[in-house]
Amino acid sequence: MTKFSDLELDPRVLKAIEEAGYETPTPIQAQAIPHALTGRDVLGIAQTGTGKTASFVLPMITMLGKGRARARMPRSLVLAPTRELAAQVAENFETYAKHTKLTMALLIGGVSFKDQDRLIDRGVDVLIATPGRLLDHFQRGKLMLTGVQIMVVDEADRMLDMGFIPDIEKIFKLTPFTRQTLFFSATMAPEITRITQEFLHNPERVEVARQATTSDTIVQAVCVFKPSRKDRTASEKRNLLRLIIENEGDKITNGIIFCNRKIDVDLVAKSMKKHGYDASPIHGDLDQSVRTRTLNGFRDGEIRFLIASDVAARGLDIPNVSHVFNFDVPIHAEDYVHRVGRTGRAGREGHAFTLCPVADEKYLNAIEALVKQTVPRIDPPNALKPAKADAPQEEKSSAPAKDKPAAAKPARSRSRAKAAPEVASAATEETVQPVAETPTEQPAEKVARTRSKPAEAKLAEKQPAAKQDQRNRGRQRNDNNAIVGMGDHVPAFLQRSL
Ligand code: AMP
């Protein structure tokens, strides 16, 4: 087995690795580092969690050990698709370069240009950036890329998903032809293959087995359900999510809830907060300072639930996540592996739940084909009895509040909702028709029907006022049991209001 000491890394780097507690190089490190150190271009097919960051940072530090930085001309460049990933590479760099005098600047959005300009003006050895921000600096004439000797493109497949490939091509063209390129991608889509053919020179291809399996320490489950109506899918999912969370009880220390779209990240976070959960959203449209604060809060245990998009959570190294919830079934099967891989790290037990409306079963099938296993199905947790959930009708009743079933109490009782978000409060959100409460023997449609707008209300909308009046009187009779002993037939004069 390869040891770090076999890799001809700078002794100062070896010291930092030892202090980080790493004993042996990961497969991508063992394969990529020797080639990188000889100056070859490397095409690394590996994904987050394989130790790929160190596989380019360690040789970079070693090679940059000789030479000095010049003002506004960085000697190396690392491009990452998101601010968080760029910041994570910078953290890695700080860890492994701590015994060297190398300088670094991080160019990401949300940080003032002025501070970044000052660093670049002084001259940096390593520039870590997101493509858009780098080009902004370049276009402002603050930066020259002609001194770049080593260029790294990290997570190229994500760059492709985010539409950064034209930016990457531009940046490649701004750097010298003689540069060394270290290029990493989890997958090799045709577009990625095209740019590697154009910009890499006879690269050494290193590949670590694609992680298409989920760790054995993760207990997985999927809840396939049929929404009562298509337009209620999202609200029913929010309800189901809360039911599962409550059902998991103390097993949950914290969790990441993944949504496919940013808009849903916001909606789910808002709904969770409304129901008293400690939850915050994270996605690319949020301010950098907010994202950093949220991530730190989640890492430190101040925030219990992180509602995230794939891009924002991609590659984030957050240890100790007890639960992952797929609010949406991921459209790309590999995203399932990434998402689920946020929990059950380092041999700990993790839990991953997926909410799957029947319309999304096709994505679930693709996931199961990729991971080569069937994700166990679960029924929706035992939820409300339909009558309890019918909050609007209960509220109409003239019965004193204390007689109402707990589930019918509106979530307005704030302290209650805050202290213990319960299944009961779930029933009162939005127009939620909780699927989970659909008893198995009762088809979802039927439940929906019993819960849709009360029949009287619908009739009332249609009928003229006089007729309504008559009906109401009839109802009064029934409700108050005012007339006794007349059987079904009640003479009209007895129905007249007093
Ligand atoms: P990455 O794939 O670069 O995001 O790395 C994933 C995690 O593995 C990070 O927390 C690294 O600190 C850690 N790591 C990287 N290399 C090693 C190694 N050789 N031994 C143990 N952990 C490592």
Side-chain angles (χ1 to χ4, degrees), residues 4 21-26 29 47-54 88 92 96 315 317 345:
F4 275 115
Y22 303 164
E23 285 165 9
T24 47
T26 64
Q29 291 163 2
Q47 62 182 26
T48 289
T50 54
K52 74 172 162 53
T53 317
Q88 212 162 279
N92 272 255
Y96 307 133
D317 192 25
R345 297 196 130 195

Side-chain angles (χ1 to χ4, degrees), residues 194-448:
R194 183 187 66 75
I195 57 167
T196 57
Q197 283 167 350
E198 186 172 348
F199 296 104
L200 272 62
H201 309 301
N202 187 25
E204 189 66 49
R205 186 182 166 115
V206 294
E207 187 165 356
V208 292
R210 175 136 186 77
Q211 193 194 339
T213 51
T214 45
S215 158
D216 291 343
T217 59
I218 304 169
V219 183
Q220 298 173 62
V222 58
C223 183
V224 181
F225 73 102
K226 187 168 192 298
S228 61
R229 257 177 30 193
K230 200 171 164 223
D231 61 350
R232 289 193 181 138
T233 308
S235 67
E236 291 181 356
K237 278 208 273 183
R238 291 196 289 272
N239 193 11
L240 187 51
L241 173 68
R242 294 194 300 277
L243 292 170
I244 294 175
I245 289 175
E246 288 312 302
N247 206 47
E248 283 295 281
D250 292 345
K251 270 193 264 170
I252 303 190
T253 45
N254 60 358
I256 305 181
I257 299 164
F258 284 98
C259 301
N260 289 353
R261 300 179 316 160
K262 291 178 215 166
I263 184 168
D264 290 320
V265 169
D266 282 331
L267 279 173
V268 173
K270 211 166 142 198
S271 159
M272 294 279 290
K273 277 189 207 157
K274 188 173 129 194
H275 283 87
Y277 293 93
D278 185 5
S280 289
I282 184 161
H283 59 69
D285 288 351
L286 293 170
D287 212 58
Q288 180 59 35
S289 58
V290 176
R291 283 156 66 175
T292 309
R293 213 178 320 126
T294 303
L295 260 184
N296 290 342
F298 187 69
R299 279 200 182 107
D300 300 344
E302 284 154 22
I303 295 170
R304 194 162 168 235
F305 292 102
L306 190 68
I307 328 294
S309 63
D310 286 295
V311 168
R314 180 106 180 179
L316 294 182
D317 192 25
I318 307 168
N320 300 336
V321 176
S322 77
H323 281 66
V324 162
F325 299 92
N326 289 313
F327 182 80
D328 297 307
V329 185
I331 292 167
H332 303 294
E334 306 89 53
D335 283 340
Y336 179 83
V337 181
H338 290 142
R339 290 180 181 188
V340 166
R342 307 286 99 209
T343 182
R345 297 196 130 195
R348 291 191 198 89
E349 187 178 290
H351 299 262
F353 287 92
T354 301
L355 312 184
C356 178
V358 283
D360 291 347
E361 268 184 304
K362 52 185 180 293
Y363 302 127
L364 183 62
N365 296 339
I367 290 166
E368 293 184 325
L370 176 74
V371 299
K372 296 191 181 63
Q373 73 180 90
T374 307
V375 183
R377 298 323 192 241
I378 52 160
D379 284 333
N382 238 346
L384 307 168
K385 299 282 172 289
K388 277 190 175 180
D390 239 335
Q393 282 183 353
E394 293 284 352
E395 278 174 285
K396 272 189 185 171
S397 152
S398 58
K402 66 179 163 62
D403 294 339
K404 289 180 188 176
K409 282 189 188 160
R412 263 176 246 130
S413 161
R414 290 192 52 166
S415 55
R416 179 195 164 96
K418 270 231 166 311
E422 331 183 331
V423 169
S425 65
T428 56
E429 192 202 356
E430 299 121 15
T431 51
V432 174
Q433 307 299 325
V435 168
E437 69 202 42
T438 307
T440 34
E441 66 278 9
Q442 200 174 6
E445 295 87 348
K446 197 170 169 194
V447 173

Side-chain angles (χ1 to χ4, degrees), residues 2-48:
T2 317
K3 295 198 286 289
F4 275 115
S5 53
D6 299 336
L7 291 178
E8 298 186 25
L9 290 163
D10 186 314
R12 291 168 293 182
V13 173
L14 288 175
K15 192 170 170 214
I17 292 171
E18 202 185 321
E19 286 165 6
Y22 303 164
E23 285 165 9
T24 47
T26 64
I28 188 79
Q29 291 163 2
Q31 289 180 60
I33 292 173
H35 296 300
L37 287 173
T38 59
R40 289 279 302 267
D41 280 3
V42 173
L43 171 57
I45 301 162
Q47 62 182 26
T48 289

